[in-house]
Amino acid sequence: MGASVRTACVVIALLALACCGLPLSGQTPNPIPLIDDPLVPTSVAPGGAGFTLTVNGTGFVSGSKVNWNGTGLPTSFVSSSRLTASVPGTDVASAGSGWVTVTNPAPGGGTSLPAFLRIATPITSPSFVSYSQNTIFNASGMTSLITGDFNGDGKLDLAFIGDQRGPGSASMAGIDSYSICIELGNGDGSFQSAVCQPAYSGQGEQPVWVVAGDFNGDGKLDLAVSNNGVGAGSISVYLGNGNGTLQPPINSASGNGPWFLAVGDFNQDGKLDLVAENLDNSTPTVTSFVSVLLGKGDGTFQSPVTYASGLDAYSLVVGDFNGDGKLDVVLQPAFNGSTSSTLYFLAGNGDGTFQSPIPAQTVGGDEFISAAADFNGDGKLDLFLANQSGPGGLPADSILLGKGDGTFQPEIEYTFGINTIGSTCRAGVVDDLNADGKLDLASCQGNASVADVVGVQLGNGDGMFQAATNIVALAQVPFPNGIVAGDFKGDGRVDLVVPMEGSLSAPFSIYLQGNFPVASANPGRLTFSSQDPNTSSPAQVVTLTNTGTLPVIFSGASIGGTNAASFGQTNTCGASLAVGASCDINVTFAPTTSGQPMATLNISDSAIGSPQVVYLAGATNGPGLTFSPPSITFNSQYVGTSGLPQSVTLTNTGTAALSISNVATSPSDFGFLNACGGSLAAGASCAIGVFFDPTAGGTRTGTLTITDNAAGSPQTVTLTGSGQDFSVAPGSASSATITAGQTASYSIAVAPAGGFAQSVALSCSGGPAGSACAVSPSTIALSGAAAQTAMLTVTTAAHGSLPPFRGGWPRDARYRQTPMILTLAAMFLLMVVASQFLRREQNLAWIRVVGFAALVTLGLTLTSCGGGSGSGGGGTNPQAGTYTVTVTGNFTSGATTLSHSAKLTLVVQ
């Protein structure tokens, strides 16, 4: 083959590989793309024609695909920071929100987090209706709240760090217990109950910030959480299962005291990375760092690479701020009481490393970088900062227009016009709130001593914004602590969710655009004083108010929960509540159980978020008994043996001595060792030992019953154990019929009970005389789950094979029987012999006579032997009859012996 031909073949092969999408050796992987706000257009009116959508961002490649609600659109590659796509009119025919993502092809590659195009009719100014989302979580530990679709149903959900406080005590204060939680959205502006799991808290750390991303490339949304501690810290990744639940955390090392997190593909390898700004919190404050953690694509990260910032961190944001197609970082150090601070720019090199920080702009002291977006449409990323205090001490928002080189123009501040100095919120979001195609701002400000506000600032599209419009939060809420935006109703209108600092009644305030019936229950928790058993407390009042814009249809109120019988309610709500109207629900506490009963008041109506839930708690006077654990499961053990006892701890939670009149167990498989001496002082505890002696195989259930003078007596503890044993039983048939000389076969089932997993030795006995029985296999190993089968064979002797003389004549009537035909033949033979003798020598006549007499006598004897009958046989078969064959299984371990047998019937004809 010539050189030119070989060259052509190589070129064709390379082209074929490229066309087929197969990666060539050494081919550079594609990054995971990032979409910047805004989409162009940001919003469209429903029912319009198709249009061209412009998507700006970072990390786009030739072959990138723009997706609309998960379906690819015809896409044109403009540059690494811009794509265009054709959106058909059918996609915007109805109001809603288009979920826009970008997918890069392999190698590497992946799908971006979504941006949203709002399909709604433009309005002059948005108006909101608020309602509270009552949970068992206190927002004081809710330092981070985000949105995402965590179960893949196309509806926005919430993920947050929850500080669980009660109702674990009468005061409802409880103890801080951090959890990572997800509340799935119902698509109508309401949310399901939170599904939570304990957060990682090693080395005295606590979770403080959460971000979302697909960190293991399985197409399911995961969470990454920073864990802050003095002189310590880590990153935990909670991989999503795709159904709204999370796997246990995967922990990676981080810099000291990580706080704020941001996500991006900083080394462009198709695996998500993290950047963490660190807040050490030690005294004196030490120089802190920005930590970059490159992802391995499995939820873990490489060792962090740190960059000095000189001061403790405050906030950060990721984007391409200098237009080179590589992700950069802008951060803000903590102001530490200063009247001003400097933003820093870290230029990304595209390989996961960053250049040294350079000053980007000086801003007011107490500010928080909330978002990066192009507010004036010049193709350069700008910044939105939420301030604690602006000019004149008033809260303010700031806009810094980008210069396109990583630095920014001086900030433009917008005050709220309400004095909320001391606010800890400093959070804001960017979206098109009135669907006019221009980005708007929403931020929260609040203080426990003044009114709480969420401010909305409408954008002009040129980087300038209108004066803030304040939305007053619920009166009972101390102050807001963050804010997220999203179309939670699926109508194209942007709604807001605000977690509330320190609120035990309503940790979430939800602001929905539009007209809705809203029912607010206040307070969200009731705590009753200690009450004597079976006596009723004075009523406490829950006020239900229609704070919405449409009437509320009232369906009823009920008490639910484990201790529902200890509470009661009556109400004056009638059939409906007009806008602004209220009604009272009176709740009483009459404990029927000891300790600290808890329940819920459930209010059903036509309002958003129904039913409204009010948590109820009380305490019982006199003796009170609690026990732990509420149930015991014993280890499996052999039938007839005793295992180690387990303890049930009794505690008198009441205010008087507890008198124990009886302790009993049932059935006989269970027993107890002591009865706590018959009494227990207030606040004292004792232990009752409970043991398990199984009397039969399989699962055994029972109860420990304690009879006393506390409310709710008698109390019971559920007991469960498994007795290990086995059984031996016939298989398909327990009886067989054969003819002598044949072999009978039976199947034998040996089954375990209670997880018995040992070897059983099998043997057999019984059957006709001269027969032989055998079991195969002679030993069966049971697995603890399924029955095993063995085969029993009984082989009998053929007719006539038994000797007629068995240890003496005649020993058994069965052996004196002679078939009639043999008797007749013998007599005929005797007659022939006798005739021959008679014809011969006459002088021997006496000998012949004697011999003839002997032969006749023998013939008569044989004839008399054939007249008997066998057991059940009736005939001439010496083995005929019905027999019992026994198969026995034995197991021995030390002093323990288990033996079981099965009886089978053998009929011999």
Side-chain angles (χ1 to χ4, degrees):
M1 182 182 294
S4 60
V5 175
R6 287 195 297 271
T7 301
C9 291
V10 171
V11 171
I12 292 172
L14 293 175
L15 289 174
L17 288 173
C19 292
C20 293
L22 299 177
L24 304 178
S25 177
Q27 186 174 351
T28 302
N30 292 317
I32 296 177
L34 175 71
I35 298 178
D36 292 331
D37 279 329
L39 299 170
V40 181
T42 298
S43 60
V44 297
F51 61 94
T52 297
L53 176 68
T54 299
V55 181
N56 298 303
T58 309
F60 303 150
V61 299
S62 178
S64 293
K65 178 71 70 173
V66 175
N67 309 299
W68 179 276
N69 294 338
T71 300
L73 296 175
T75 304
S76 297
F77 174 77
V78 179
S79 69
S80 62
S81 59
R82 178 167 295 179
L83 302 171
T84 61
S86 297
V87 180
T90 53
D91 284 347
V92 295
S94 302
S97 292
W99 295 54
V100 177
T101 58
V102 174
T103 300
N104 280 351
T111 301
S112 70
L113 291 174
F116 299 94
L117 188 142
R118 308 304 180 187
I119 310 167
T121 302
I123 56 177
T124 302
S125 179
S127 62
F128 295 85
V129 171
S130 65
Y131 79 93
S132 61
Q133 176 81 8
N134 196 2
T135 71
I136 61 171
F137 291 94
N138 179 282
S140 64
M142 197 178 298
T143 55
S144 187
L145 171 70
I146 61 173
T147 63
D149 183 6
F150 297 100
N151 63 345
D153 64 354
K155 303 171 185 176
L156 275 179
D157 312 313
L158 300 176
F160 59 90
I161 299 169
D163 179 7
Q164 189 171 4
R165 292 187 179 182
S169 66
S171 67
M172 306 298 287
I175 301 174
D176 286 356
S177 177
Y178 290 98
S179 299
I180 305 301
C181 305
I182 289 177
E183 286 195 10
L184 297 178
N186 295 317
D188 61 356
S190 66
F191 298 87
Q192 300 176 28
S193 299
V195 176
C196 303
Q197 66 184 69
Y200 174 74
S201 57
Q203 306 179 48
E205 304 164 7
Q206 69 179 42
V208 292
W209 205 256
V210 60
V211 293
D214 182 6
F215 295 102
N216 63 346
D218 65 352
K220 303 171 185 175
L221 205 56
D222 313 313
L223 296 180
V225 176
S226 58
N227 304 305
N228 180 270
V230 176
S234 61
I235 302 294
S236 296
V237 170
Y238 299 80
L239 297 179
N241 295 316
N243 60 358
T245 64
L246 303 168
Q247 299 179 30
I250 302 172
N251 303 309
S252 298
S254 176
N256 286 345
W259 197 285
F260 301 102
L261 292 178
V263 180
D265 186 358
F266 302 117
N267 60 350
Q268 301 181 342
D269 64 349
K271 303 170 185 176
L272 280 183
D273 312 312
L274 290 174
V275 58
E277 201 170 14
N278 302 324
L279 181 62
D280 187 84
N281 278 328
S282 60
T283 303
T285 300
V286 300
T287 299
S288 190
F289 304 91
V290 173
S291 299
V292 178
L293 296 87
L294 299 180
K296 298 180 181 180
D298 59 359
T300 64
F301 300 89
Q302 300 178 29
S303 298
V305 178
T306 57
Y307 297 84
S309 66
L311 291 171
D312 275 343
Y314 212 43
S315 59
L316 60 78
V317 69
V318 167
D320 181 10
F321 293 96
N322 59 1
D324 64 354
K326 303 168 185 175
L327 286 181
D328 313 312
V329 174
V330 174
L331 61 89
Q332 179 198 13
F335 73 106
N336 290 329
S338 302
T339 58
S340 64
S341 63
T342 300
L343 303 183
Y344 286 91
F345 170 67
L346 285 75
N349 296 317
D351 59 359
T353 65
F354 292 83
Q355 300 176 27
S356 298
I358 64 171
Q361 184 56 264
T362 299
V363 297
D366 193 3
E367 300 188 356
F368 184 97
I369 303 176
S370 294
D374 182 6
F375 294 113
N376 60 353
D378 64 354
K380 303 170 185 176
L381 282 179
D382 312 313
L383 294 179
F384 166 40
L385 280 69
N387 303 349
Q388 177 174 343
S389 58
L394 298 177
D397 287 342
S398 295
I399 298 296
L400 283 78
L401 299 179
K403 297 180 180 180
D405 60 359
T407 64
F408 301 88
Q409 299 179 32
E411 65 180 330
I412 305 168
E413 289 191 314
Y414 300 87
T415 61
F416 273 70
I418 182 171
N419 188 347
T420 58
I421 297 174
S423 166
T424 60
C425 183
R426 301 182 302 276
V429 292
V430 174
D431 213 313
D432 188 358
L433 298 175
N434 61 345
D436 66 349
K438 303 168 186 176
L439 288 180
D440 309 311
L441 309 177
S443 59
C444 62
Q445 299 289 336
N447 184 277
S449 61
V450 297
D452 311 314
V453 297
V454 172
V456 171
Q457 294 172 261
L458 300 179
N460 297 326
D462 58 359
M464 304 296 290
F465 292 84
Q466 301 173 28
T469 300
N470 297 332
I471 303 173
V472 179
L474 299 179
Q476 75 269 22
V477 177
F479 48 87
N481 183 24
I483 185 171
V484 296
D487 179 7
F488 299 110
K489 307 180 303 300
D491 60 358
R493 302 292 180 189
V494 179
D495 311 305
L496 304 173
V497 178
V498 180
M500 294 298 174
E501 178 79 23
S503 170
L504 286 171
S505 297
F508 290 126
S509 276
I510 301 172
Y511 298 84
L512 303 178
Q513 283 202 59
N515 293 319
F516 303 96
V518 174
S520 300
N522 184 33
R525 281 170 166 77
L526 294 179
T527 302
F528 291 85
S529 301
S530 295
Q531 188 74 25
D532 290 336
N534 301 312
T535 64
S536 183
S537 72
Q540 294 194 42
V541 178
V542 173
T543 300
L544 186 70
T545 304
N546 182 353
T547 59
T549 56
L550 295 175
V552 171
I553 307 302
F554 182 76
S555 301
S558 61
I559 306 295
T562 304
N563 306 126
S566 294
F567 298 87
Q569 67 83 28
T570 60
N571 66 81
T572 63
C573 293
S576 66
L577 280 178
V579 174
S582 298
C583 65
D584 290 337
I585 302 174
N586 300 298
V587 182
T588 56
F589 173 50
T592 59
T593 184
S594 59
Q596 297 174 323
M598 292 178 290
T600 57
L601 169 66
N602 305 313
I603 306 168
S604 300
D605 47 52
S606 62
I608 294 292
S610 176
Q612 288 75 40
V613 178
V614 177
Y615 293 94
L616 311 175
T620 307
N621 283 329
L625 178 62
T626 62
F627 45 84
S628 178
S631 62
I632 293 179
T633 299
F634 292 89
N635 293 328
S636 297
Q637 62 193 65
Y638 298 130
V639 169
T641 64
S642 296
L644 296 175
Q646 296 193 43
S647 294
V648 174
T649 300
L650 308 185
T651 302
N652 183 352
T653 58
T655 57
L658 175 75
S659 176
I660 302 174
S661 58
N662 188 52
V663 176
T665 55
S666 64
S668 59
D669 301 76
F670 303 94
F672 67 94
L673 299 178
N674 65 291
C676 283
S679 65
L680 198 59
S685 298
C686 69
I688 296 178
V690 185
F691 58 87
F692 176 46
D693 294 350
T695 60
T699 301
R700 311 295 292 168
T701 58
T703 56
L704 168 69
T705 302
I706 304 159
T707 306
D708 49 65
N709 64 337
S713 176
Q715 291 86 10
T716 58
V717 177
T718 302
L719 309 175
T720 305
S722 291
Q724 290 193 7
D725 202 352
F726 66 92
S727 62
V728 179
S732 58
S734 60
S735 177
T737 300
I738 61 172
T739 300
Q742 293 181 335
T743 298
S745 296
Y746 306 83
S747 62
I748 304 297
V750 184
F756 184 86
Q758 301 291 340
S759 294
V760 176
L762 300 175
S763 61
C764 61
S765 61
S771 64
C773 69
V775 185
S776 178
S778 59
T779 299
I780 281 186
L782 297 176
S783 64
Q788 302 290 328
T789 301
M791 294 303 299
L792 167 68
T793 57
V794 180
T795 302
T796 60
H799 290 178
S801 61
L802 297 177
F805 305 104
R806 290 171 56 90
W809 176 270
R811 180 176 177 179
D812 191 326
R814 289 179 296 171
Y815 303 102
R816 296 196 303 269
Q817 297 176 2
T818 305
M820 181 60 68
I821 191 170
L822 294 180
T823 304
L824 295 175
M827 294 177 64
F828 177 75
L829 178 61
L830 287 173
M831 293 173 64
V832 172
V833 172
S835 64
Q836 291 298 321
F837 275 103
L838 292 173
R839 292 177 182 176
R840 294 192 179 184
E841 300 174 7
Q842 297 297 321
N843 58 350
L844 297 176
W846 67 272
I847 296 176
R848 289 194 294 269
V849 172
V850 172
F852 178 77
L855 289 174
V856 171
T857 302
L858 178 60
L860 294 175
T861 301
L862 290 175
T863 302
S864 67
C865 290
S869 63
S871 170
T876 58
N877 178 7
Q879 301 177 80
T882 299
Y883 302 90
T884 298
V885 181
T886 302
V887 178
T888 302
N890 287 285
F891 164 73
T892 300
S893 176
T896 300
T897 297
L898 300 176
S899 181
H900 299 282
S901 60
K903 303 291 186 180
L904 302 110
T905 299
L906 174 64
V907 178
V908 180
Q909 295 180 343

